[in-house]
Amino acid sequence: MPKIFRKRSEKVGLPPGTLVHIGERKAEKQRITIIDYDETQFQERELETIEESFPFKDTSTITWINIDGLHQLEIIEKIGKHFNIHALVLEDIANTEQRPKMEDFDDYLFLILKMICFEEKDKRIKVEQVGLILGSNFVISFREEKGNVFDPVRQRIISKKGRIRKKGADYLAYALIDVIVDSYFLILERIGDQIEDLEEDLMDGPRQETMQAIHSLKRELLQFRKSVWPLQEMISKLEKGESEMFNESTQIYLKDVHDHTIHVIDTIEIFHDMLSGLLDLYISSVSNKMNEIMKVLTIIATIFIPLTFIAGVYGMNFKYMPILEWRYGYPMVLLVMLIIGVGMIIYTRKREWF
Amino acid sequence: MPKIFRKRSEKVGLPPGTLVHIGERKAEKQRITIIDYDETQFQERELETIEESFPFKDTSTITWINIDGLHQLEIIEKIGKHFNIHALVLEDIANTEQRPKMEDFDDYLFLILKMICFEEKDKRIKVEQVGLILGSNFVISFREEKGNVFDPVRQRIISKKGRIRKKGADYLAYALIDVIVDSYFLILERIGDQIEDLEEDLMDGPRQETMQAIHSLKRELLQFRKSVWPLQEMISKLEKGESEMFNESTQIYLKDVHDHTIHVIDTIEIFHDMLSGLLDLYISSVSNKMNEIMKVLTIIATIFIPLTFIAGVYGMNFKYMPILEWRYGYPMVLLVMLIIGVGMIIYTRKREWF
Amino acid sequence: MPKIFRKRSEKVGLPPGTLVHIGERKAEKQRITIIDYDETQFQERELETIEESFPFKDTSTITWINIDGLHQLEIIEKIGKHFNIHALVLEDIANTEQRPKMEDFDDYLFLILKMICFEEKDKRIKVEQVGLILGSNFVISFREEKGNVFDPVRQRIISKKGRIRKKGADYLAYALIDVIVDSYFLILERIGDQIEDLEEDLMDGPRQETMQAIHSLKRELLQFRKSVWPLQEMISKLEKGESEMFNESTQIYLKDVHDHTIHVIDTIEIFHDMLSGLLDLYISSVSNKMNEIMKVLTIIATIFIPLTFIAGVYGMNFKYMPILEWRYGYPMVLLVMLIIGVGMIIYTRKREWF
Amino acid sequence: MPKIFRKRSEKVGLPPGTLVHIGERKAEKQRITIIDYDETQFQERELETIEESFPFKDTSTITWINIDGLHQLEIIEKIGKHFNIHALVLEDIANTEQRPKMEDFDDYLFLILKMICFEEKDKRIKVEQVGLILGSNFVISFREEKGNVFDPVRQRIISKKGRIRKKGADYLAYALIDVIVDSYFLILERIGDQIEDLEEDLMDGPRQETMQAIHSLKRELLQFRKSVWPLQEMISKLEKGESEMFNESTQIYLKDVHDHTIHVIDTIEIFHDMLSGLLDLYISSVSNKMNEIMKVLTIIATIFIPLTFIAGVYGMNFKYMPILEWRYGYPMVLLVMLIIGVGMIIYTRKREWF
Amino acid sequence: MPKIFRKRSEKVGLPPGTLVHIGERKAEKQRITIIDYDETQFQERELETIEESFPFKDTSTITWINIDGLHQLEIIEKIGKHFNIHALVLEDIANTEQRPKMEDFDDYLFLILKMICFEEKDKRIKVEQVGLILGSNFVISFREEKGNVFDPVRQRIISKKGRIRKKGADYLAYALIDVIVDSYFLILERIGDQIEDLEEDLMDGPRQETMQAIHSLKRELLQFRKSVWPLQEMISKLEKGESEMFNESTQIYLKDVHDHTIHVIDTIEIFHDMLSGLLDLYISSVSNKMNEIMKVLTIIATIFIPLTFIAGVYGMNFKYMPILEWRYGYPMVLLVMLIIGVGMIIYTRKREWF
């Protein structure tokens, strides 16, 4: 199962602002891409060095720098120096064990979000940290590894679909937040489907695997909730205009995203309650199964143990057992046994055992 | 069982304001009806095209446009253009997976509510989204499919019953909200009846179906709560005069509806607690049943196993077993068995087993 | 068991302010009594028609009109017209399925409370709605049926006991609220006694009836809480001077009642927790009982099943079983059986089974 | 077990301000003591009648009147008249079933607190009500019976230890509250010890008494919490300077007491959670014990029942059972039995049953 | 297991401000160290007497006095006198049973924090109280015993790493708080690892030790939570600038620490939920194991008890049992037995018992 909690021991005692990469260190090189656009122009490039992106800072166009991979700390440091980013922010970008949060500085806004995706090969949820820096005309996004979550936004910029080319950098930041939140719904759908499968499974009868499936779904929801709750608080603050980096015309879009996060949270709570319900159902069906088994055992034992005793009595080897000599002894005993057996069956039936 | 969560994957990554119908796509045509009235005049018509309704916008009478069916997105789009509605609102109307909410724009108010009805044929709750746009002299209502929930309001307009013809569009919007909330009580009544049936069932003894019935009632309450909680927040805001679309004279009616939603929520919570109580009762009666069965088994076994052993001893074929030759051996052994049997019965009775 | 939720389906879709009596329709006539007093004068009368009470409205004395029985809607209507009461208030008086609440109008205050009494014959709690209208010099009280809860107040007015004759109509309203809240303590005492009885019962051992008693006490507490919580909110508002109908000198008395309602709520919560504790105790003692039974079964079986097997072996009819011929075969086998039996007893004792 | 809820039925319907003693009526006489001091002088006396204390009211020294025993209502009444105390306050002093609370009047402050002590002889917690009236230069304390909780304060006054002789009546009131809250820690220590004893008990195995001990500790915590929660609210208000009876220099001491009450509440919550943990541990160890017993039963039965059957087969009396005549029949059957027995043991071992 | 609650009975009734050491009294001498630095100079010394530190108070450099061991109350008293500390603060320093809290005085700020470390030898969490006094140019830290938690800060001061030498005493206080909070993550990692180990254990099957491990982890989390919750409240107040002792430039660092405490709390809650999940898993796997055992018992009994009965019948010694004489009696009976046995197996298989 996935680690709920990644090691950050190496950080203990270091002075604040020290860059340490917390997370799974990837061997591959980091990828830096840049998209620069305004209503009329557009260019997209993959950069070799981060320095290539610096000239774009001072143009009037909107610049989106995307960095995939956080283990090369010098890139983060260089960005920090060039864009004048606070040391604590750089530290938070490198340390992927952060709660989602926003921090508002005078000339830029720093956001941490969590991307959640389902890994087909491990059949488990993976949480990835995304750092966003929103300046007046640029957005810098940091991701732990390559992925395609931001592709729809890129497509919209390229194809001029929607308003994105007409709006500012804040709208771009909004669009990135929006696709991340949208991707949560995919995970919810999958979890919802799994819950319904479990429900049908339970109708057939309890199985130990069902229990473990309930357990790991619960765990995934815990992890999910951990990422979404602080996100909701953060977007709520943004939506209420706490940061001046977002124009008023963009705030109505943030309100929309905020509604989505609340919807996600509601659904997580409902799923959580449904899983508790399934647990109750599971436990009750286990104990029903047990009851059923016990009934069979008891019926069999109740009928045959007394009969076996009777047979045992007439199997004793006493010399003087007059009934043994009686011609109708055997049939009489069989008859008595039959009566007792039928009586026991009637008794158990009356008690509604089967 | 019903889907708690409808697929919305197709929406992921689309620019905000893109109209996508989320919900069960209906084959049939959408129905558009219009009711136009003031204190003295009244007309009602079913329209072929939405354009026919546009002239009513500028009259001084109150206009109620009702659209049943949301899959023909061009109708929503046309309304949006003519009534100057924000793209995000139109998107929310088409996407039936929304939380109840209100959004206040300068010249109109947008509300999302959930209609809940019981489907006789599936024996399950169905949740349907209703969108309301309230302008200064018009109300536009969007429903997922035809239904008769709004009929009482229509009747009151036609028959001039109550105040509705003397009041403005905000009163009409209130009346629509009111009938929706009223209909919740019908569902609560039904759930209340089912809970009482379950309670009586449990008095007779536990059955696995009872458990499943408890489970699916719990699930329905979860779904219900999900719809009513945000509704209550929304009406609370309206009642406190957060939107200027509602006159002060209408606010006292909203307070009334608000009381009803709180009553609904209280009742949902109580039902939830009662179902938890039933679950406890169920589990305890299952384990009582088990106890009873085990007692019978133990009594039978406790009495007969030792006796069978004795019979077995005297059934051994040793050559030198003097007691076997004794004339009173058989009756003596029977007597001993009787004493042991009776002793065991007394013992189990003393332990209050039956 | 009592209905948690009374039918109100007949109200769905009716315009607001329509009078519909929700509740158990009583055949008997309504009773109207009037008490009119100030510091020096006093009169009490039972009225035939509500109209007889109208002249009192304009006198300077304090007038208390009490109506028992709500099914004759024309009386409520006439009062509404004469005292100029809002239609929604009249509707709430007739509909006995209301949450306790206050509504402040310019020249009167409307309160809904719940009276709770224990019905000896059904051994169950009964909740009855009381409506109070407090004007500048009158109080109108509406009850579902005749009862003696208000008698102490009447007595105090007649006997001039306490301050009641020197104070205004608001003090009278306070006195009525006070007796209702006081009567809650009687119910709490009864429930507390029942809980203690159950506790003693459980010391003796678990019984299925205990479980059902716990269940129905829990249910009664749910119903109780449902009535008291909103009452507490309402009195809290009054005590803080939210309505001008209560003089400042009366507010200190309301603070006293408020303390009582909080005490009631605290006690309900504690009772609820105690019942949960009893449930745990019950379940644990059921499973202890089960354990005890299983131990007896296991001990008997563990001792005798091997012995019976041995007896069975020597009961086989093989021709060549040398031991059978041996003179000391029988006593030796009995000895072996004794050793095995005693060994088994020692083994089970060591495992601390008994 | 102790009554959670004392009878107050006799109060129902009485006018507010009527003095009724609720509590266990003590036969013995009430004891009135007076301590009068300032920085230089000190006197302590036991009074015969309450009237003797009245002259002290108007001196400039600080006067502490302590009344032990509340059943002689005329004393309370006389104090009320002389010190000009509101009738509702007197009523609350006599009625020992009050929640802790403060009430601020213009020239005095009224406080209700709960003293909690452990009664050695009944092995149970006892809750006793303390009423405090704080005037500008006097404190009147009312207790249900004699006790030594206030002794340390008395000692400090006599011995001039600490600041108490230099400070005003408010500091005296603080000192009394402080010793009461301090005494809570004694009870917590005792409960903590009991919980640890229970924990060790459970390591040895489950016993029914353990369960009952858990249950009654839970109950005591409920009672404790009921007394401390409102106390914390009350001290919080005082500490924030809501009453002018406490000087600013005393408020920092109240903050200290407030920290203590919060510490008490935290500890109660933790104890509550620990008891729930013990309950889980108990239930799980009961079911482990059950499992162990069932395993032994099943192993015995699984091994011997088939063998007994085989023995039974060869004990049948058919005339033509060729194997019986066979010379090696008996040893062969014994061998088969041995193989089956050993096989069964291996099978159960493989399933990790023992 | 560790004491959740240390004795403080000796304090009851003492006047406030009396120094009493609550905690485990250590025999060894207290250690006093002093570090004095500014951007250019640095000195570190171990002091024999506390008086040696007093001259540093009035220099312009930043002075950090660290006291390890609290049992020598005269040191605390002397510091109190020289630095003019309130008596209640000194009392709180000596009494190690305090909740984390802050208290703001005019010229210094007093903080209580809890250090949590894992003791290898007892395999348990140990909580240690740390008191901090922050003045304008000095920090005094009080610890219960020697330890190395503050070493990284000392190192940073010595090596001039980070900003610490350039900043004021408030930054030093922040740095100390920061290392304490950082050390929490080490404990969380350890607990997280233990939870994952338990999870894997449970996959193999339930064991009684697992249950006890779950129980003691839960207990540790309770203790942990008790220390961190009030800490979070305290840092939240500091971060919002409630005390003027912290410069605005340091507040952003406090915000960072605050994020960490919230992260710790989140993780504690998640661990708590995971442990509850493990408990459910444990209980369900215990009852599954039970079910499995019962099935084996029932199958064996169901198959062989009827067969044994049949064998018993033909072992009876009646004289007239014609079938016994029949040549094919024996094989026929064996056949019947076989059919019954196979029938029983088919029956149990159909019921999906194995």
PDB file of all heavy atoms in Angstrom, chain A residues 103-114:
ATOM      1  N   GLU A 103       0.237  31.560  -0.342  1.00  0.00           N
ATOM      2  CA  GLU A 103       0.953  32.589   0.359  1.00  0.00           C
ATOM      3  C   GLU A 103       1.073  33.795  -0.544  1.00  0.00           C
ATOM      4  O   GLU A 103       1.520  33.697  -1.678  1.00  0.00           O
ATOM      5  CB  GLU A 103       2.320  32.081   0.819  1.00  0.00           C
ATOM      6  CG  GLU A 103       2.306  31.731   2.289  1.00  0.00           C
ATOM      7  CD  GLU A 103       3.454  30.877   2.691  1.00  0.00           C
ATOM      8  OE1 GLU A 103       4.568  31.411   2.805  1.00  0.00           O
ATOM      9  OE2 GLU A 103       3.236  29.657   2.886  1.00  0.00           O
ATOM     10  N   ASP A 104       0.646  34.915  -0.020  1.00  0.00           N
ATOM     11  CA  ASP A 104       0.550  36.120  -0.829  1.00  0.00           C
ATOM     12  C   ASP A 104       1.727  37.027  -0.503  1.00  0.00           C
ATOM     13  O   ASP A 104       1.901  37.459   0.628  1.00  0.00           O
ATOM     14  CB  ASP A 104      -0.769  36.831  -0.495  1.00  0.00           C
ATOM     15  CG  ASP A 104      -1.129  37.779  -1.600  1.00  0.00           C
ATOM     16  OD1 ASP A 104      -0.399  37.829  -2.603  1.00  0.00           O
ATOM     17  OD2 ASP A 104      -2.149  38.487  -1.453  1.00  0.00           O
ATOM     18  N   PHE A 105       2.563  37.283  -1.513  1.00  0.00           N
ATOM     19  CA  PHE A 105       3.647  38.240  -1.345  1.00  0.00           C
ATOM     20  C   PHE A 105       3.271  39.487  -2.136  1.00  0.00           C
ATOM     21  O   PHE A 105       2.247  39.508  -2.828  1.00  0.00           O
ATOM     22  CB  PHE A 105       4.964  37.630  -1.841  1.00  0.00           C
ATOM     23  CG  PHE A 105       5.394  36.476  -1.000  1.00  0.00           C
ATOM     24  CD1 PHE A 105       4.909  35.198  -1.232  1.00  0.00           C
ATOM     25  CD2 PHE A 105       6.246  36.664   0.072  1.00  0.00           C
ATOM     26  CE1 PHE A 105       5.273  34.137  -0.434  1.00  0.00           C
ATOM     27  CE2 PHE A 105       6.629  35.607   0.871  1.00  0.00           C
ATOM     28  CZ  PHE A 105       6.143  34.341   0.619  1.00  0.00           C
ATOM     29  N   ASP A 106       4.082  40.484  -2.024  1.00  0.00           N
ATOM     30  CA  ASP A 106       3.642  41.726  -2.652  1.00  0.00           C
ATOM     31  C   ASP A 106       3.479  41.604  -4.156  1.00  0.00           C
ATOM     32  O   ASP A 106       2.489  42.040  -4.710  1.00  0.00           O
ATOM     33  CB  ASP A 106       4.634  42.858  -2.315  1.00  0.00           C
ATOM     34  CG  ASP A 106       4.390  43.358  -0.909  1.00  0.00           C
ATOM     35  OD1 ASP A 106       3.308  43.052  -0.379  1.00  0.00           O
ATOM     36  OD2 ASP A 106       5.265  44.035  -0.340  1.00  0.00           O
ATOM     37  N   ASP A 107       4.448  40.961  -4.823  1.00  0.00           N
ATOM     38  CA  ASP A 107       4.367  40.961  -6.281  1.00  0.00           C
ATOM     39  C   ASP A 107       4.177  39.583  -6.891  1.00  0.00           C
ATOM     40  O   ASP A 107       4.284  39.428  -8.102  1.00  0.00           O
ATOM     41  CB  ASP A 107       5.610  41.644  -6.875  1.00  0.00           C
ATOM     42  CG  ASP A 107       6.866  41.117  -6.233  1.00  0.00           C
ATOM     43  OD1 ASP A 107       6.742  40.347  -5.268  1.00  0.00           O
ATOM     44  OD2 ASP A 107       7.960  41.470  -6.698  1.00  0.00           O
ATOM     45  N   TYR A 108       3.926  38.590  -6.058  1.00  0.00           N
ATOM     46  CA  TYR A 108       3.542  37.297  -6.628  1.00  0.00           C
ATOM     47  C   TYR A 108       2.744  36.522  -5.582  1.00  0.00           C
ATOM     48  O   TYR A 108       2.736  36.880  -4.393  1.00  0.00           O
ATOM     49  CB  TYR A 108       4.764  36.479  -7.086  1.00  0.00           C
ATOM     50  CG  TYR A 108       5.715  36.143  -5.977  1.00  0.00           C
ATOM     51  CD1 TYR A 108       5.602  34.948  -5.273  1.00  0.00           C
ATOM     52  CD2 TYR A 108       6.716  37.033  -5.615  1.00  0.00           C
ATOM     53  CE1 TYR A 108       6.471  34.660  -4.234  1.00  0.00           C
ATOM     54  CE2 TYR A 108       7.586  36.739  -4.579  1.00  0.00           C
ATOM     55  CZ  TYR A 108       7.457  35.553  -3.886  1.00  0.00           C
ATOM     56  OH  TYR A 108       8.293  35.256  -2.857  1.00  0.00           O
ATOM     57  N   LEU A 109       2.088  35.492  -6.058  1.00  0.00           N
ATOM     58  CA  LEU A 109       1.251  34.664  -5.203  1.00  0.00           C
ATOM     59  C   LEU A 109       1.772  33.244  -5.335  1.00  0.00           C
ATOM     60  O   LEU A 109       2.045  32.775  -6.453  1.00  0.00           O
ATOM     61  CB  LEU A 109      -0.195  34.748  -5.691  1.00  0.00           C
ATOM     62  CG  LEU A 109      -1.250  33.967  -4.954  1.00  0.00           C
ATOM     63  CD1 LEU A 109      -1.532  34.606  -3.602  1.00  0.00           C
ATOM     64  CD2 LEU A 109      -2.534  33.934  -5.776  1.00  0.00           C
ATOM     65  N   PHE A 110       1.947  32.547  -4.204  1.00  0.00           N
ATOM     66  CA  PHE A 110       2.457  31.184  -4.265  1.00  0.00           C
ATOM     67  C   PHE A 110       1.363  30.217  -3.810  1.00  0.00           C
ATOM     68  O   PHE A 110       0.731  30.413  -2.777  1.00  0.00           O
ATOM     69  CB  PHE A 110       3.683  31.061  -3.360  1.00  0.00           C
ATOM     70  CG  PHE A 110       4.171  29.652  -3.207  1.00  0.00           C
ATOM     71  CD1 PHE A 110       4.505  28.902  -4.322  1.00  0.00           C
ATOM     72  CD2 PHE A 110       4.289  29.060  -1.956  1.00  0.00           C
ATOM     73  CE1 PHE A 110       4.950  27.601  -4.189  1.00  0.00           C
ATOM     74  CE2 PHE A 110       4.733  27.763  -1.815  1.00  0.00           C
ATOM     75  CZ  PHE A 110       5.063  27.034  -2.941  1.00  0.00           C
ATOM     76  N   LEU A 111       1.138  29.195  -4.630  1.00  0.00           N
ATOM     77  CA  LEU A 111       0.091  28.220  -4.321  1.00  0.00           C
ATOM     78  C   LEU A 111       0.669  26.820  -4.331  1.00  0.00           C
ATOM     79  O   LEU A 111       1.510  26.490  -5.175  1.00  0.00           O
ATOM     80  CB  LEU A 111      -1.013  28.284  -5.380  1.00  0.00           C
ATOM     81  CG  LEU A 111      -1.686  29.617  -5.623  1.00  0.00           C
ATOM     82  CD1 LEU A 111      -2.619  29.505  -6.819  1.00  0.00           C
ATOM     83  CD2 LEU A 111      -2.452  30.053  -4.396  1.00  0.00           C
ATOM     84  N   ILE A 112       0.212  25.994  -3.398  1.00  0.00           N
ATOM     85  CA  ILE A 112       0.541  24.570  -3.464  1.00  0.00           C
ATOM     86  C   ILE A 112      -0.752  23.793  -3.630  1.00  0.00           C
ATOM     87  O   ILE A 112      -1.726  24.033  -2.912  1.00  0.00           O
ATOM     88  CB  ILE A 112       1.283  24.106  -2.195  1.00  0.00           C
ATOM     89  CG1 ILE A 112       2.700  24.647  -2.215  1.00  0.00           C
ATOM     90  CG2 ILE A 112       1.313  22.591  -2.086  1.00  0.00           C
ATOM     91  CD1 ILE A 112       3.558  24.151  -1.086  1.00  0.00           C
ATOM     92  N   LEU A 113      -0.776  22.887  -4.599  1.00  0.00           N
ATOM     93  CA  LEU A 113      -1.943  22.035  -4.813  1.00  0.00           C
ATOM     94  C   LEU A 113      -1.479  20.587  -4.882  1.00  0.00           C
ATOM     95  O   LEU A 113      -0.287  20.310  -5.015  1.00  0.00           O
ATOM     96  CB  LEU A 113      -2.620  22.368  -6.135  1.00  0.00           C
ATOM     97  CG  LEU A 113      -3.227  23.735  -6.287  1.00  0.00           C
ATOM     98  CD1 LEU A 113      -2.276  24.641  -7.024  1.00  0.00           C
ATOM     99  CD2 LEU A 113      -4.556  23.644  -7.013  1.00  0.00           C
ATOM    100  N   LYS A 114      -2.436  19.700  -4.837  1.00  0.00           N
ATOM    101  CA  LYS A 114      -2.127  18.284  -4.962  1.00  0.00           C
ATOM    102  C   LYS A 114      -2.856  17.720  -6.174  1.00  0.00           C
ATOM    103  O   LYS A 114      -4.072  17.914  -6.327  1.00  0.00           O
ATOM    104  CB  LYS A 114      -2.579  17.519  -3.715  1.00  0.00           C
ATOM    105  CG  LYS A 114      -1.873  17.954  -2.444  1.00  0.00           C
ATOM    106  CD  LYS A 114      -0.470  17.411  -2.380  1.00  0.00           C
ATOM    107  CE  LYS A 114       0.246  17.919  -1.144  1.00  0.00           C
ATOM    108  NZ  LYS A 114       1.595  17.366  -1.032  1.00  0.00           N
TER     109      LYS A 114
END
